[in-house]
Amino acid sequence: QFLPGSVSVQHTLPENDIFDLVIGLDYGDIERLHLRPTFLDESRFVTIDHHVASRPFGDLQIVYPDLSSTSEIAYWFFRNNSLAISKDIALNLLTGILVDTGGFSHITTSPQVFEVGSELLKSGVVPSKVLRESLDTRGEAALKIWGRALARIREVKEIGMLYSYILKDDLDEHGATFDDVAGLISLLNTAPTSRFTVLLVEYEKGIVKGSLRSERFKGVDVSEIAASLGGGGHKYAAGFTREGSMDDIVKDIKQVVLGFGGISDKKTYDIIPPGENKG
């Protein structure tokens, strides 16, 4: 709500409105937008994203998986088309970059994104305010939900997985939303003993969203696991949506990993050649 323009955001689409152009940003999978089929038939669709979708969509697809965020892609769109970046625009773009990089701490943080952040700061944006408003503030409901999930942490040592889960009843009990869970998977992924981490959230009865995380030095491509479960994402940050109980989904994950031959003890390191990650 602190972002310029946020008061104009709407959460429902009028049933009978027809749009000439729809731009989908940072959505990963078209089903997550919950758009009616006729809506997509009536409009031209542009995808701007840094996620590689398992089912690519759009008449025009602008996808850069090597960039930190869709906000960084938007920055380069403005920059390369000589469009002025006002202080309000810079605040929105920098917030998107900071959130998606976890305050410049995630695996997607590159030397280039620091340069982009530096340029945006020249507009007068105060980064401490952005971090406080977007990353460092948790409501009471979020804190209680995080506590519930932390108390349920389990390990499946056979496949190197650490996981936890949140039930729909937990969300309802504390008046929490799916947004209150944001950032929890990153905390779980700091556990040093796991090769990859999974957070399962039942956001509707019987429907679970799984978030997977790993790190380069752990050598696990979680996007392959997610793809086998009907989802997708990056090598070290991916997700899926699946029907079933928590126990069943954990068994599905285990079966997928064992089907890959398990998780090797050999840790791999990705080396990005100089200049490869340029905008």
Side-chain angles (χ1 to χ4, degrees), residues 88-134:
D88 283 354
I89 292 173
L91 175 55
N92 280 292
L93 293 179
L94 186 61
T95 301
I97 290 170
L98 283 172
V99 169
D100 259 21
T101 60
F104 296 125
S105 66
H106 291 171
I107 201 72
T108 53
T109 304
S110 65
Q112 173 185 279
V113 78
F114 281 110
E115 295 174 8
V116 172
S118 177
E119 287 298 314
L120 294 173
L121 287 176
K122 292 177 182 178
S123 68
V125 175
V126 180
S128 59
K129 179 183 178 182
V130 177
L131 287 170
R132 184 176 65 252
E133 295 285 353
S134 59

Side-chain angles (χ1 to χ4, degrees), residues 10-199:
Q10 298 182 42
H11 297 274
T12 58
L13 286 168
E15 280 296 321
N16 298 319
D17 275 15
I18 297 176
F19 297 87
D20 297 310
L21 178 65
V22 179
I23 303 176
L25 300 109
D26 203 45
Y27 63 85
D29 191 307
I30 191 64
E31 291 184 358
R32 295 181 64 188
L33 298 183
H34 301 288
L35 300 174
R36 63 181 187 274
T38 55
F39 179 89
L40 298 175
D41 293 339
E42 295 159 352
S43 312
R44 290 187 177 181
F45 197 97
V46 174
T47 291
I48 304 178
D49 211 329
H50 71 125
H51 302 97
V52 177
S54 56
R55 288 164 291 182
F57 185 84
D59 300 286
L60 175 62
Q61 299 173 38
I62 303 171
V63 180
Y64 287 90
D66 287 337
L67 296 189
S68 68
S69 57
T70 300
S71 294
E72 188 182 351
I73 298 173
Y75 168 85
W76 288 111
F77 176 82
F78 279 98
R79 176 79 175 271
N80 292 337
N81 288 283
S82 301
L83 300 171
I85 298 179
S86 66
K87 183 177 180 179
D88 283 354
I89 292 173
L91 175 55
N92 280 292
L93 293 179
L94 186 61
T95 301
I97 290 170
L98 283 172
V99 169
D100 259 21
T101 60
F104 296 125
S105 66
H106 291 171
I107 201 72
T108 53
T109 304
S110 65
Q112 173 185 279
V113 78
F114 281 110
E115 295 174 8
V116 172
S118 177
E119 287 298 314
L120 294 173
L121 287 176
K122 292 177 182 178
S123 68
V125 175
V126 180
S128 59
K129 179 183 178 182
V130 177
L131 287 170
R132 184 176 65 252
E133 295 285 353
S134 59
L135 291 178
D136 295 339
T137 300
R138 304 285 176 196
E140 181 180 344
L143 293 175
K144 289 180 177 178
I145 284 294
W146 282 42
R148 187 71 57 88
L150 293 174
R152 291 173 174 158
I153 290 175
R154 303 287 186 273
E155 276 192 281
V156 183
K157 293 184 179 181
E158 185 179 357
I159 60 172
M161 177 178 75
L162 180 144
Y163 77 94
S164 187
Y165 63 92
I166 295 171
L167 300 171
K168 180 67 166 62
D169 290 343
D170 299 323
L171 297 175
D172 293 342
E173 178 184 347
H174 298 297
T177 67
F178 194 78
D179 289 340
D180 289 319
V181 182
L184 177 54
I185 182 64
S186 296
L187 177 60
L188 297 177
N189 196 43
T190 60
T193 57
S194 66
R195 301 294 298 279
F196 71 102
T197 305
V198 179
L199 176 63

